[in-house]
Amino acid sequence: MSNQPDIIVLFSGGLDSILAAKVLEQQGLAVRCIHFITPFFGSAKAVPYWRKIYGLDIVSQDVGEEFAQMLRQRPEHGFGKVMNPCVDCKILLLRKARLYMESVGAKGLATGEVLGQRPMSQRRDTLHLIMRDAGVSGILLRPLCAAHLPVTQMEESGLVDRTRLLSFSGRGRRDQLDLAAELGVTEIPTPGGGCRLTEKENARRYWTVLTLLPQAGDRDFTLANLGRQFWHHEGENHYWLCIGRNSADNDKLAAAMQPDDMLLRLRDLAGPMALARSGADWPRHVLESAAAHAASYAPKAVAAGGPVAVRARQGQAEGDAAFEMDVTPQRVGEAWGEALWDDVKAVIRAEARERLAATLHGKHKPGPEDAE
Ligand code: SF4
């Protein structure tokens, strides 16, 4: 790791961010990459691998809680096609990157963005809005399309040679692939992907968590990534059950336990683990219903043809407080249901319409999505 980086590159692990870092390194700058992690994107585990194969100085920072807070308050600039709040996401990450830049005494920031590559968040007016709201105007360089953009302080001061920056634009990847070959980058990440908020299958899980848990936090969204997800509703109360699909899920569920969660598993038979979020506060009949539902995913329990023993434990350690329930495995769709994307989408769109109506009545500051 270089002691005093000149410039901090926001590093997603995608090809564009790799190239942005390499282009700046080629100018002799001390470059440090920062990789942000949330339940929705980012991977701390990948960082050592990237360091090794790309030879870059990369640090990671977890911003999951700030991201969850932004979702709870609803992104000011709305969601994209699914549940991706791209403009607010970029503003948040740039703000965090600026704080990091200041803390290490670097002189500027850079991203791998290319003008016109994404419909909403990489339009010229949106790039400008993002820079303004993140407080990075003049200190944010986009080396892959800099020739199309105003001169930054780093170019003015001579730290960065503008003539060696690029003029990419649009959605094609040909220029990037040619540049990768020129720079000796042979490990090319697959395009797109990486952000679960753009995937309907994940968004329907996240939205349910966001709307049914008053203080949904990064640990809740992390749990939403695991296994099968079910909800049961009784009046104003909502009960969340996650059932592992395989042993890897089971391990992750056990690791995701919070102090008031209950972990359910068959006492005598092999089968999935299930995590009842805040299950220590659930009424007994709901826990029994959850145990019966979870047991229905264990073929051996179903084959037993009668009641099976399920152990419910509060706490991560095997010796923590536990009790047992005898339940008959059964899958009652009405009792434990999953949210459907079409229903979630309708609610997200209804919220967007309300926001637009509030804008028209002067109560809401319009964002770029409102104009589309
Ligand atoms: S796709 Fe995901 S990670 Fe990328 S800007 Fe949008 S919300 Fe952020």
Side-chain angles (χ1 to χ4, degrees), residues 107-163:
K107 299 176 192 73
L109 299 173
T111 69
E113 288 163 300
V114 170
L115 204 58
Q117 194 175 53
R118 307 240 187 280
M120 180 169 73
S121 62
Q122 287 177 220
R123 288 188 333 212
R124 186 183 292 269
D125 56 343
T126 314
L127 289 183
H128 181 72
L129 177 149
I130 290 169
M131 285 203 296
R132 187 199 66 198
D133 285 9
V136 297
S137 298
I139 57 164
L140 175 61
L141 188 67
R142 288 153 170 135
L144 303 188
C145 62
H148 298 297
L149 297 170
V151 176
T152 63
Q153 289 170 17
M154 287 164 281
E155 294 154 280
E156 262 172 3
S157 69
L159 178 71
V160 172
D161 180 355
R162 184 172 172 88
T163 64

Side-chain angles (χ1 to χ4, degrees), residues 86-106:
C86 292
V87 175
D88 292 76
C89 168
K90 284 169 185 279
I91 292 170
L92 188 155
L93 299 188
L94 281 167
R95 280 188 189 142
K96 298 296 289 183
R98 190 194 69 212
L99 290 174
Y100 180 77
M101 176 198 87
E102 288 166 357
S103 75
V104 296

Side-chain angles (χ1 to χ4, degrees), residues 41 67 84-86 89-90 195 197-198:
F41 55 82
F67 208 98
N84 43 313
C86 292
C89 168
K90 284 169 185 279
C195 178
L197 288 160
T198 61

Side-chain angles (χ1 to χ4, degrees), residues 92 223 319 356:
L92 188 155
L223 182 60
L356 189 57

